[in-house]
C-alpha cells in the first residue's frame, strides 16, 4: 500500500513538473487534421474567449467561485458558459518550495510572537483549476446558482407520478457518460474497467479531482448498462453489478493510489444530476460536496438493503434536497407535497 502511494506520488509529481505527456485526444486531433475528436465545443475553447457575466455562487471557505460567463461570437451573439474557478489543495512535495523559492513575501502584521505574511508564489506553486461547461444550458446555470434549498420526502407513488415523468422529459444530457463508456473521451484516464455488458463498469477520476493529491481523491464508477436511471431502479437483479463495483473499485484504488477501502466513502446520490447509474468514491477525510446524509447512500448499505428485500427501493420513501426554483420542486409544490 505504501509503495503504491509513493509510486503514485512520484507519477503525480512528474506530471506536475513534466513536459506533459501527449494526450491520446491530441493524437487523434492531429489525425483528424486538427478537428476535436469528441465533437465537443469545449475542446476548441480557450479561457480568454470567455467574458464574465455574473457570479453565481462563491465560497470563501472552499476557495471556489462559480461564474456565469459567455463567449461572444463574431456577430456579437453571446453563448452561455459556466466557469468554476477553484484554488487547488497544497501538494505535500511542493510545500517546502513555498518558503524557499524567491518571491514577494510581504509582512502584513507583527505582534509579539505572531506575524502574517502574504506570499506571491511563482505560477507552478499557485495553481487554479478551471472547469468550463460550454455551451451551458439554463439548467447548468441554475445548478450552480446559490438558492434556497428544501428537503423533499418522495414516496414511491410520488416517484412514479411526479419525479419519473419529470426526469423522462427533462434531464441533463448524459452524452459525457456514453463518451467515457465508448472510449471517445477520457480514455487515457480510465483507472479500471470490467467490460461485462451487464455486470461491468468503468472507473475514472471525477471531473472535480485534479489528481495532484490524494487528500481530495474523487473517482466515479459508470456502469455499462444504460437503462438504470438511479437508486429507484435497483433490485436484487443488480446485486452482482453492485458487488463488482464495490469490490473491484476498492481493489483498483488501493492498487493505483495506495488508498485502502477502509478510507473510502463509496456512495450513490439520490437524486443524481445525471440519470445513468454511477457510484462516487471519495477520500474519507475529504468533505466532498454531496456527501451529506440528505443525498448520499452508502453502496454497502444499498447492497444489504437489496439482499434483504429486492424491491426495497420501490417501497420506501426517499429524502433529497431541491433548490427552490428547480422545476421539479415546483411540481412537488403543485402536488401539495411541500
Ligand atoms: P451526480 O450525483 O449525478 O451529480 O454525480 P452531481 O454533479 O450533482 O454530484 C455526477 C458526478 O459526475 C459528479 O461527481 C461530477 O463531478 C462528475 N462528472 C460530471 N461530468 C460532466 C463529468 C465528466 O465529463 N467527466 C468526469 N470524469 N466526471 C464528470
Amino acid at each position: 500500500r505504501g509503495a503504491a502511494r509513493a509510486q503514485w506520488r512520484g507519477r503525480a509529481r512528474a506530471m506536475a513538473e513534466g513536459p506533459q505527456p501527449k494526450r491520446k485526444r491530441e493524437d487523434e486531433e492531429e489525425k483528424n487534421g486538427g478537428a476535436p475528436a469528441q465533437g465537443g465545443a469545449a475542446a476548441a475553447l480557450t479561457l480568454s474567449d470567455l467574458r464574465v457575466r455574473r457570479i453565481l455562487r462563491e465560497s470563501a471557505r472552499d476557495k471556489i467561485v462559480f461564474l456565469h460567463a459567455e463567449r461572444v461570437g463574431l456577430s456579437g451573439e453571446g453563448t452561455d458558459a459556466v466557469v468554476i474557478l477553484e484554488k487547488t489543495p497544497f501538494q505535500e512535495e511542493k510545500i517546502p518550495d513555498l518558503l524557499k523559492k524567491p518571491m514577494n513575501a510581504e509582512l502584513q502584521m507583527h505582534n509579539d510572537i505572531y506575524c502574517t505574511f502574504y506570499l506571491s508564489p511563482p505560477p507552478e506553486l499557485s495553481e487554479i483549476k478551471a472547469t468550463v461547461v460550454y455551451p451551458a444550458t439554463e439548467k447548468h446555470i441554475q445548478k450552480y446558482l446559490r438558492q434556497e434549498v428544501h428537503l423533499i420526502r418522495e414516496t414511491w407513488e410520488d416517484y412514479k407520478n411526479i419525479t419519473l415523468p419529470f426526469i423522462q422529459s427533462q434531464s441533463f444530457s448524459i452524452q459525457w457518460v456514453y463518451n467515457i463508456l465508448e472510449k471517445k473521451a477520457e480514455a487515457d484516464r480510465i483507472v479500471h474497467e470490467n467490460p461485462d455488458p451487464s455486470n461491468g463498469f468503468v472507473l475514472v477520476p471525477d471531473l472535480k479531482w485534479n489528481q495532484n493529491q490524494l487528500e481530495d481523491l474523487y473517482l466515479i464508477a459508470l456502469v455499462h448498462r444504460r437503462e438504470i436511471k438511479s437508486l429507484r431502479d435497483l433490485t436484487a437483479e443488480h446485486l452482482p453489478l453492485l458487488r463488482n463495483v464495490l469490490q473491484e473499485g476498492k481493489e483498483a484504488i488501493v492498487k493505483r493510489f495506495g488508498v485502502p477501502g477502509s478510507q473510502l466513502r463509496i456512495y450513490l446520490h439520490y437524486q443524481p444530476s445525471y440519470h445513468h447509474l454511477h457510484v462516487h468514491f471519495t477520500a474519507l477525510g475529504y468533505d466532498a460536496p454531496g456527501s451529506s446524509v440528505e443525498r448520499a447512500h452508502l453502496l454497502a448499505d444499498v447492497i444489504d438493503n437489496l439482499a434483504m428485500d429486492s424491491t426495497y427501493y420501490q417501497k420506501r420513501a426517499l429524502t433529497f434536497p431541491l433548490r427552490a426554483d428547480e422545476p421539479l420542486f415546483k411540481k412537488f409544490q403543485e402536488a401539495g407535497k411541500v
Side-chain angles (χ1 to χ4, degrees):
R1 178 146 67 79
R5 209 179 262 250
Q7 205 181 30
W8 178 83
R9 278 201 193 285
R11 257 203 315 266
R13 196 175 313 134
M15 285 267 294
E17 286 165 1
Q20 291 286 331
K22 197 185 250 185
R23 301 268 163 187
K24 203 178 213 161
R25 201 184 65 215
E26 285 168 19
D27 288 337
E28 278 167 22
E29 278 177 26
E30 268 169 26
K31 271 190 248 143
N32 296 345
Q38 300 157 40
L45 187 77
T46 57
L47 279 181
S48 53
D49 294 337
L50 297 171
R51 196 168 66 189
V52 178
R53 289 191 54 185
R54 62 180 166 145
I55 291 176
L56 296 170
R57 176 161 38 119
E58 65 178 313
S59 162
R61 197 198 70 168
D62 298 333
K63 316 285 183 299
I64 191 166
V65 61
F66 300 81
L67 304 171
H68 178 182
E70 67 179 354
R71 186 192 204 187
V72 183
L74 292 176
S75 58
E77 276 288 283
T79 307
D80 286 329
V82 169
V83 180
I84 305 167
L85 299 177
E86 184 178 14
K87 298 203 178 182
T88 55
F90 289 106
Q91 289 172 52
E92 210 176 296
E93 58 278 7
K94 289 188 179 174
I95 291 173
D97 284 349
L98 271 175
L99 304 184
K100 250 191 284 146
K101 287 217 169 156
M103 65 182 85
N104 283 337
E106 212 176 287
L107 178 71
Q108 199 206 21
M109 188 276 297
H110 188 181
N111 180 355
D112 187 32
I113 58 171
Y114 307 99
C115 46
T116 52
F117 290 93
Y118 277 86
L119 312 183
S120 309
E124 68 276 15
L125 297 175
S126 53
E127 284 174 343
I128 290 180
K129 180 180 177 218
T131 306
V132 179
V133 183
Y134 175 83
T137 63
E138 188 54 34
K139 230 169 128 51
H140 287 106
I141 294 166
Q142 289 300 325
K143 175 174 159 94
Y144 295 112
L145 188 64
R146 182 181 299 286
Q147 289 175 32
E148 227 175 62
V149 181
H150 296 269
L151 279 187
I152 296 290
R153 185 88 180 142
E154 178 203 69
T155 63
W156 172 248
E157 283 65 37
D158 295 337
Y159 172 72
K160 285 223 318 224
N161 299 332
I162 305 172
T163 311
L164 182 60
F166 178 81
I167 60 182
Q168 280 166 340
S169 71
Q170 45 175 304
S171 265
F172 275 121
S173 160
I174 44 176
Q175 188 55 47
W176 67 272
V177 175
Y178 297 153
N179 286 346
I180 293 175
L181 296 176
E182 292 167 12
K183 321 285 156 49
K184 290 181 182 158
E186 305 188 42
D188 52 348
R189 288 158 46 95
I190 292 176
V191 171
H192 175 75
E193 175 169 17
N194 176 333
D196 189 278
S198 60
N199 293 327
F201 67 98
V202 172
L203 181 71
V204 283
D206 192 278
L207 186 68
K208 293 200 272 282
W209 187 36
N210 66 10
Q211 297 184 75
N212 283 339
Q213 59 287 313
L214 296 173
E215 284 65 25
D216 59 342
L217 173 140
Y218 201 145
L219 295 102
I220 38 167
L222 306 164
V223 305
H224 276 300
R225 287 174 72 152
R226 298 195 173 190
E227 77 289 1
I228 316 172
K229 289 180 289 306
S230 74
L231 197 57
R232 279 289 190 203
D233 286 337
L234 292 175
T235 64
E237 185 220 336
H238 304 107
L239 282 171
L241 166 64
L242 299 173
R243 287 185 176 127
N244 284 349
V245 170
L246 185 62
Q247 192 54 34
E248 293 176 29
K250 283 198 280 196
E251 282 165 11
I253 290 174
V254 75
K255 194 161 159 220
R256 173 72 69 93
F257 303 107
V259 178
S262 59
Q263 291 183 328
L264 292 173
R265 190 188 293 108
I266 306 171
Y267 56 98
L268 292 86
H269 275 160
Y270 193 77
Q271 285 284 338
S273 295
Y274 303 96
H275 288 90
H276 173 107
L277 193 79
H278 57 273
V279 176
H280 303 249
F281 290 72
T282 61
L284 188 60
Y286 170 51
D287 189 9
S291 59
S292 43
V293 286
E294 69 273 28
R295 206 160 171 226
H297 296 253
L298 288 177
L299 178 59
D301 291 345
V302 171
I303 290 174
D304 270 6
N305 292 335
L306 292 172
M308 279 188 301
D309 180 352
S310 174
T311 56
Y312 183 87
Y313 290 103
Q314 288 89 51
K315 281 181 188 156
R316 60 160 287 188
L318 293 170
T319 298
F320 57 88
L322 282 178
R323 292 180 299 275
D325 62 358
E326 271 188 82
L328 184 56
F329 180 73
K330 299 215 170 80
K331 300 258 177 233
F332 272 88
Q333 259 182 335
E334 280 160 20
K337 304 279 177 177
V338 184

